[in-house]
Amino acid sequence: MARAKVVVVGGGFAGVYAARRLARADADVTLLDRTTTTVFQPLLYQCATGLLSEGQITSPLRTLMRRHRDVRVVLGEAHDLDATRRVLTARRPDGSTFELPYDHLIVAAGMRQSYLGHPEFAVHAPGMKSIDDALAIRRRVMSAFEMAETMPDPEDRREWLTFAIAGAGPTGVELAGQIREFALYAIENEYRAIDPAETRVLLFDGGDRVLKSFGQHLSRSAQRALDRLGVETVFGVHVTDVDAEGVTTTAKADRKQERYDARTVLWTAGVEAVPFLQVVARETGATQDRQGRIPVRPDLTVAGHPEIRVVGDVMILDDLPGVAEVAMQSGRHAGEDVRRLIAGETRYGTPFRYRDLGSAAYICRRNALIEAGPLRLDGFVGWILWGVIHIAFLAGVRNRVGTVASWLLTLGLNRRSERAYPLSNPATAVLPYRDDAA
């Protein structure tokens, strides 16, 4: 009897956890991803601001799967799907394609940055979803200070020392805090013509507070920390235009527009499913939501297609948030369910039960938020626990040791050694995915 074939699309948290669970199955497992590494996305902003290297927050997928002989890692982007024939078509980096037949398909393709109907903003405002994005942001942040250093006109210097960030969720808040910390501590004595302390960081959001996913108390605590750090928050507005010299905002209340001159604009205001989810929806008859996510049954399968599971932040189930812990747990559950089905231990999938372990957000040095059930922590205690949690989930001993060493170096000596950046803009930070996948 032929061995079962399982294809896992996506090498993020959900895909890796699913593939690892399937390593014990009597099956040929293929893990497909458009890159060769898995990225620890919660620390991307630290890579972008020179605190950590890209190597410290990534692990090669082949290294993670090297002991699992039945798991094959394949480089390619999921491009098309024939749900009737049960064949997935993937595209290599050179544009050629190949087919992957499957008996079970686990879609963990993840989300990409959404510009809310304005994809042209991406040219001037990189998002924060990949290593390419992080390096593009690092390039813009580091080079802004270099440009300001040689500008004879004070107004030009002010524009280069102004950073505008759209979105006051965890990523936006973390980026804002890190840029101000970088200016105040890491480079305060390194320039002769400019004073890095004059750096302005503007944080825009359509809501009425930062970190809306946290409770009011923790949100207010984060606001106070940002105020002390010198981050300027602007609420009740949408960023409605972006160009090379700044942003235009529109107030939600009266539609009044205001212009902010800023040579560096960063975007963290929204996410959407990658293009392959449109293909999955077309083939399965599923209806996507505004973000492109697909509804799943309690066992994470798509209605009418018990052989297809959608996991992580691209699934819709019980209003679960698109956070790392949901991705890990749903990926693990899908992998275990498929393993049991292949082994004949069950005929049906089991309902997924999410265990909420809480949320965490870094604000600035010695200040982070932790919210887990009734537990609410901020300040130094929250910062310590935040560090422990993130180190525990990093893949690989080398990454954990290197990350702790970099944190200690930054705290003790106010240095950031990871400040190298590409001279040209990484192409995938402008166009992360091939939108003709559907």
Side-chain angles (χ1 to χ4, degrees), residues 20-350:
R20 280 178 163 172
R21 211 65 174 181
L22 284 161
R24 298 179 295 156
D26 183 22
D28 295 323
V29 181
T30 299
L31 175 59
L32 174 72
D33 195 81
R34 59 194 299 271
T35 70
T36 60
T37 59
T38 186
V39 180
F40 191 75
Q41 287 193 355
L43 291 180
L44 265 177
Y45 71 95
Q46 294 197 7
C47 174
T49 51
L51 205 162
L52 299 177
S53 73
E54 57 269 32
Q56 288 171 313
I57 62 169
T58 60
S59 295
L61 289 170
R62 294 188 184 280
T63 299
L64 293 177
M65 300 298 160
R66 67 186 184 278
R67 297 179 182 175
H68 307 310
R69 304 303 300 175
D70 291 330
V71 179
R72 178 191 179 204
V73 177
V74 174
L75 178 67
E77 182 178 334
H79 168 64
D80 203 356
L81 178 69
D82 187 331
T84 303
R85 294 174 53 226
R86 296 192 180 185
V87 174
L88 180 146
T89 302
R91 180 159 39 199
R92 300 183 183 92
D94 67 356
S96 61
T97 61
F98 59 98
E99 293 187 343
L100 294 171
Y102 65 86
D103 297 300
H104 298 275
L105 176 64
I106 299 177
V107 179
M111 307 288 271
R112 64 175 178 176
Q113 203 71 58
S114 169
Y115 290 87
L116 308 177
H118 293 277
E120 68 276 10
F121 289 178
V123 175
H124 304 294
M128 179 66 80
K129 296 298 289 183
S130 69
I131 286 294
D132 297 278
D133 294 335
L135 293 179
I137 290 175
R138 183 192 292 181
R139 169 180 173 268
R140 289 173 184 253
V141 171
M142 304 302 172
S143 63
F145 293 100
E146 302 301 330
M147 291 292 294
E149 176 74 0
T150 60
M151 289 290 170
D153 185 348
E155 183 58 35
D156 289 338
R157 287 200 297 269
R158 278 192 289 272
E159 290 182 13
W160 281 105
L161 291 177
T162 300
F163 298 82
I165 302 173
T171 303
V173 167
E174 289 163 343
L175 265 177
Q178 283 296 302
I179 292 173
R180 275 294 291 175
E181 281 195 359
F182 178 73
L184 291 175
Y185 305 120
I187 60 172
E188 59 176 339
N189 298 316
E190 295 186 2
Y191 290 86
R192 302 297 176 259
I194 63 172
D195 180 4
E198 296 178 357
T199 298
R200 290 185 72 194
V201 179
L202 307 172
L203 185 60
F204 303 100
D205 196 86
D208 58 359
R209 61 189 177 98
V210 298
L211 301 173
K212 296 184 290 292
S213 60
F214 287 79
Q216 291 277 358
H217 169 73
L218 292 182
S219 179
R220 287 193 295 268
S221 174
Q223 182 66 61
R224 289 192 296 268
L226 291 173
D227 291 342
R228 289 192 298 269
L229 196 59
V231 174
E232 302 174 41
T233 51
V234 182
F235 297 116
V237 300
H238 292 306
V239 175
T240 51
D241 193 25
V242 180
D243 58 38
E245 298 181 351
V247 302
T248 299
T249 63
T250 302
K252 293 171 63 177
D254 57 10
R255 311 304 296 173
K256 179 182 178 181
Q257 292 192 333
E258 189 165 352
R259 174 72 181 181
Y260 295 86
D261 293 328
R263 292 291 186 146
T264 303
V265 182
L266 309 176
W267 192 275
T268 67
V271 293
E272 63 185 7
V274 301
F276 180 64
L277 268 293
Q278 299 175 30
V279 178
V280 176
R282 180 196 70 203
E283 284 294 304
T284 60
T287 301
Q288 295 175 276
D289 69 357
R290 293 179 60 184
Q291 291 181 294
R293 300 179 303 166
I294 289 180
V296 296
R297 297 165 60 85
D299 63 355
L300 307 183
T301 60
V302 179
H305 290 270
E307 78 284 1
I308 298 178
R309 288 165 169 76
V310 177
V311 297
D313 45 11
V314 292
M315 72 178 185
I316 304 173
L317 179 67
D318 300 334
D319 294 322
L320 292 176
V323 297
E325 193 57 44
V326 171
M328 295 175 189
Q329 292 185 32
S330 62
R332 184 189 300 117
H333 180 89
E336 178 62 15
D337 248 14
V338 172
R339 185 200 67 78
R340 294 177 70 242
L341 286 166
I342 292 172
E345 297 175 13
T346 182
R347 294 177 56 191
Y348 307 102
T350 57

